[in-house]
């Protein structure tokens, strides 16, 4: 089976994760794959966090009158 190409370039990195967490990802996302699942979880977290930061900055800017 051929691997599907991602829509963006990938960078191989080495990191440490808790063994139980990695096993859980492997079991939970057996069809998708743990690595792809981890990339997706990280991307979603980044999007949510970026949105919250932008909203907080907007709220702060709105409170300051010059």
């Amino acid at each position: 089976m051929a691997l599907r190409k991602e829509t963006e370039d990938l960078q191989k990195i080495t990191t440490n994760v808790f063994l139980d967490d990695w096993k859980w990802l492997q079991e939970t996302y057996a069809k998708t794959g743990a690595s792809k699942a981890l990339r997706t979880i990280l991307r979603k977290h980044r999007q949510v966090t970026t949105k919250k930061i932008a909203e907080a900055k907007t709220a702060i800017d709105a409170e300051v009158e010059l």
Side-chain angles (χ1 to χ4, degrees), residues 30-45:
K31 188 173 181 180
T32 303
S35 292
K36 183 169 182 129
L38 186 58
R39 287 194 300 272
T40 303
I41 292 165
L42 176 59
R43 177 57 57 98
K44 182 65 177 176
H45 177 72

Side-chain angles (χ1 to χ4, degrees), residues 17-46:
V17 295
F18 296 109
L19 183 56
D20 286 344
D21 293 339
W22 186 249
K23 286 180 180 178
W24 179 84
L25 278 174
Q26 290 175 317
E27 293 168 4
T28 304
Y29 298 99
K31 188 173 181 180
T32 303
S35 292
K36 183 169 182 129
L38 186 58
R39 287 194 300 272
T40 303
I41 292 165
L42 176 59
R43 177 57 57 98
K44 182 65 177 176
H45 177 72
R46 177 183 169 193

Side-chain angles (χ1 to χ4, degrees), residues 52-65:
K52 287 180 181 180
I53 290 169
E55 289 171 353
K57 286 181 179 178
T58 301
I60 290 170
D61 290 343
E63 293 177 13
V64 177
E65 291 183 34

